[in-house]
Amino acid sequence: MNETINSMIKRRTIRKYKQEQITDGELNAVLEAGLYAPSGANQQSAVFIVVQNKDVIEKLTKMNAEFFGKDIDTYYGAPTIVLVLADKNKRTPVEDGSLALGNMYNAAYSLGLGACWVHREKQMFESEEGLSLLKKWGVEGDFIGVGALTLGYPDCELPAPPARNDNRVFFVK
């Protein structure tokens, strides 16, 4: 099996991270994979906000947990979070952002990084608080929150692959 497919099959979600920050080279490689993800009509609607500031991560964690309805660390202590938003005025913003997240997710694994796709960014960045943060960060436009990617060095063993459900592929000839 080729290296890319093998990496996609072995990749697992990581929810426990070392506090050591990832390198700029690793981060840039993951971001580049996201930037080169396919997008509807090549409109490239996805934008990335990289957060490595612990205070900002703590604020985002509290916001996300409020929408989740549980007082937990929704970003699992990751030292880096990549928020993915997309331009609402493009043809396929949610799909574009999702493809970018998927590319970054797989790229992270291939570099030995742990990653987890986190939800509720849609609600976060529709809120007044979220809109205020975007303005503060200089992110201008009409965006929808698609998701976030946690990144860091795993502080756990990779879980075993779960069994795959049968009967999910249908052939029409």
Side-chain angles (χ1 to χ4, degrees):
M1 187 172 306
N2 84 27
E3 186 177 338
T4 300
I5 293 173
N6 193 40
S7 182
M8 293 165 78
I9 289 170
K10 287 184 175 180
R11 183 222 44 79
R12 292 289 163 265
T13 295
I14 300 299
R15 293 184 179 93
K16 187 174 180 190
Y17 298 93
K18 296 177 182 176
Q19 286 308 293
E20 177 187 355
Q21 189 56 263
I22 64 175
T23 68
D24 289 345
E26 291 164 332
L27 175 60
N28 290 330
V30 169
L31 294 171
E32 187 169 23
L35 291 171
Y36 278 88
S39 63
N42 195 32
Q43 292 193 320
Q44 303 176 34
S45 68
V47 297
F48 312 144
I49 302 167
V50 178
V51 182
Q52 294 181 315
N53 178 293
K54 288 182 181 186
D55 294 333
V56 176
I57 290 174
E58 185 177 315
K59 180 177 190 61
L60 292 169
T61 299
K62 287 179 182 175
M63 285 177 65
N64 192 292
E66 285 177 23
F67 286 106
F68 190 48
K70 295 183 180 179
D71 186 21
I72 62 169
D73 181 356
T74 55
Y75 296 111
Y76 307 105
T80 297
I81 297 171
V82 180
L83 302 167
V84 178
L85 291 81
D87 185 336
K88 287 182 185 179
N89 301 306
K90 301 297 183 181
R91 290 184 185 180
T92 53
V94 173
E95 294 85 348
D96 296 350
S98 296
L99 283 165
L101 276 159
N103 267 22
M104 291 189 289
Y105 202 54
N106 288 316
Y109 174 79
S110 76
L111 296 169
L113 300 174
C116 181
W117 184 328
V118 177
H119 297 278
R120 293 165 298 282
E121 281 66 27
K122 178 181 187 300
Q123 297 89 335
M124 289 170 61
F125 292 101
E126 287 176 341
S127 73
E128 289 302 318
E129 186 176 15
L131 292 170
S132 175
L133 285 174
L134 293 177
K135 185 175 182 179
K136 177 181 175 181
W137 297 335
V139 180
E140 296 180 14
D142 193 15
F143 295 105
I144 184 171
V146 178
L149 187 73
T150 62
L151 290 172
Y153 299 115
D155 194 15
C156 59
E157 295 294 320
L158 284 183
R164 297 288 122 183
N165 295 337
D166 291 335
N167 303 319
R168 294 187 345 188
V169 178
F170 299 88
F171 294 93
V172 178
K173 295 183 179 190

